[in-house]
Amino acid sequence: MSASPASVTASATAPVPPPLPETLVTVRRLNRIFDNVHAVKDISFDIARGQVVGFIGANGAGKTTTMRMMATLDVPNSGTIRIADMDVVQRPGSVRRLIGWMPDHYGTYAHMTVFEYLDFFARAYGFKREQRRTRVEEVMDFADLTVLADRPMNKLSKGMGQRLCFGRMLLPDPEFMILDEPAAGLDPKARLEFKNLVRLLAQRGKTLFISSHILSELGEMCDTLLFIDGGKMVYHGSAESLRRNHGNSANGNAQMVLDIVLAGPGDMLTQWASMNPLWSLLEERRDGARLLVESSDPLVLAAGLKKMILDGLPVIEFHREERRLEDAFVDMLRKISVDGSTRHT
């Protein structure tokens, strides 16, 4: 995907929607049950206009079910979803004019090119003649699809198909975009370009709700993270707050993680950590290790590093790591399994 300067705003002849309230999306006590499976359990949250929200959950957590209900593709058993103060069940047609939906997979058609596919959907959205061609070209340029214009859509790679689905979502210039695993199948360069596109859309006042299994990636581009586990919402807050509040030991003490490199085998650090209180091994490597320190006091860190040198460890490099979102998430789920609470920040 290419963060080209092309506008993602529909042409001036397209109808302009009215101003939207500051809180764009309101979800209250949402439940969805399939047969005997309670897929979504009483979740509630708000999304402000212009926010980029990361939606995180393992397979089967209720993530896609929630997104489908927000996209008016499924109906809750109870609870409400309001987008721009419109109930998605009572006014689905009006809501659909404001939203864009990018599923994790989509159907393909033989003997249809990338341009023809986008042109078909632009026609369905009501774009006429030159206006339609202009809009398709704008979207193709923005999503870096121009070079694929004549490619049969059923011959695209997974990553190219994701870009095409992203472009289809952009066609009506939606205010609220719901993206289910949009970066799946993208190579590292395309992932970086996708993050740049998300920033550009947010700068233009768009609101994005993005699911992914790559927590570190969401932490970089999202204002807020929303975690769902077993159908229940277990966290709603910033990435920094997650790292800070779930970076403690079981007794509530703050911790640090150090990445240490030796001029020697890494098992030397493993042995050293086993004999020193407050220090423990997280990950051993050939030339070093990641160690957990049961304190956030800089003096404790300084004393430990000094002792390593005095004990004969050939330390040549070290740095204090920012806590990984994955580690904080696992710690949060572990604490929830112990005390049964739901964490919000």
Side-chain angles (χ1 to χ4, degrees):
M1 297 181 183
S2 174
S4 70
S7 170
V8 295
T9 303
S11 61
T13 55
V16 178
L20 298 178
E22 189 64 25
T23 299
L24 181 61
V25 180
T26 301
V27 176
R28 290 291 179 270
R29 305 189 67 106
L30 193 66
N31 286 274
R32 185 67 174 100
I33 302 171
F34 299 96
D35 297 326
N36 295 322
V37 178
H38 200 160
V40 177
K41 302 176 182 178
D42 207 38
I43 67 173
S44 300
F45 59 88
D46 293 333
I47 301 174
R49 187 180 183 190
Q51 272 194 324
V52 180
V53 179
F55 193 35
I56 301 160
N59 291 332
K63 183 162 46 73
T64 296
T65 299
T66 301
M67 299 177 85
R68 284 178 56 82
M69 287 188 286
M70 295 171 71
T72 76
L73 299 175
D74 196 5
V75 178
N77 292 93
S78 64
T80 60
I81 304 171
R82 300 186 71 84
I83 298 177
D85 206 29
M86 294 183 292
D87 189 290
V88 300
V89 175
Q90 297 176 0
R91 301 180 61 187
S94 298
V95 169
R96 287 169 188 159
R97 296 187 184 97
L98 295 177
I99 65 174
W101 164 245
M102 180 179 173
D104 59 349
H105 65 275
Y106 67 102
T108 59
Y109 304 93
H111 313 299
M112 178 177 281
T113 67
V114 166
F115 179 86
E116 290 168 341
Y117 179 78
L118 292 175
D119 183 70
F120 171 83
F121 278 95
R123 188 188 299 267
Y125 282 124
F127 289 93
K128 307 294 184 183
R129 298 186 180 131
E130 288 304 314
Q131 178 197 22
R132 185 174 73 248
R133 184 176 187 87
T134 298
R135 182 58 184 160
V136 170
E137 290 175 350
E138 286 176 348
V139 165
M140 290 179 66
D141 187 34
F142 186 78
D144 199 18
L145 291 165
T146 303
V147 295
L148 303 175
D150 297 323
R151 183 83 59 90
M153 66 168 300
N154 64 338
K155 302 297 183 182
L156 298 177
S157 67
K158 173 66 174 178
M160 292 176 181
Q162 290 293 92
R163 282 156 51 189
L164 178 58
C165 195
F166 179 78
R168 185 189 71 183
M169 178 194 68
L170 291 177
L171 282 170
D173 193 27
E175 291 293 333
F176 179 47
M177 304 179 193
I178 306 169
L179 302 88
D180 195 1
E181 297 287 349
L186 299 184
D187 59 35
K189 178 175 180 291
R191 287 178 184 273
L192 179 61
E193 291 172 343
F194 173 74
K195 285 189 284 188
N196 290 335
L197 294 184
V198 168
R199 293 190 189 100
L200 286 173
L201 291 168
Q203 289 169 7
R204 287 162 171 77
K206 304 300 183 182
T207 306
L208 295 96
F209 192 72
I210 306 171
S211 75
S212 177
H213 288 91
I214 307 172
L215 306 191
S216 56
E217 191 168 78
L218 285 179
E220 293 174 4
M221 64 179 166
C222 294
D223 305 306
T224 302
L225 300 177
L226 196 160
F227 290 24
I228 187 171
D229 183 60
K232 298 180 180 179
M233 201 173 77
V234 296
Y235 180 81
H236 190 189
S238 68
E240 178 55 35
S241 179
L242 177 68
R243 291 190 184 97
R244 182 176 65 250
N245 293 339
H246 297 281
N248 300 332
S249 62
N251 61 15
N253 294 327
Q255 300 170 318
M256 292 183 288
V257 176
L258 287 187
D259 190 340
I260 301 175
V261 179
L262 301 180
D267 60 3
M268 297 172 67
L269 275 172
T270 303
Q271 297 171 16
W272 184 90
S274 68
M275 295 183 292
N276 286 272
L278 301 183
W279 295 74
S280 58
L281 178 71
L282 286 179
E283 177 186 352
E284 182 180 319
R285 293 195 294 272
R286 181 178 56 82
D287 59 350
R290 293 175 65 236
L291 298 181
L292 179 68
V293 188
E294 296 287 344
S295 174
S296 61
D297 188 343
L299 294 178
V300 172
L301 172 59
L305 291 170
K306 181 178 180 180
K307 191 172 188 304
M308 284 183 197
I309 302 301
L310 293 176
D311 289 344
L313 270 66
V315 177
I316 60 174
E317 182 181 335
F318 72 90
H319 73 271
R320 180 177 174 177
E321 286 187 357
E322 181 180 19
R323 185 159 177 79
R324 295 178 181 176
L325 277 176
E326 289 83 356
D327 293 338
F329 180 51
V330 169
D331 285 351
M332 179 189 65
L333 292 181
R334 186 183 300 118
K335 291 174 184 177
I336 290 172
S337 68
V338 171
D339 61 28
S341 65
T342 300
R343 306 299 176 107
H344 297 268
T345 303

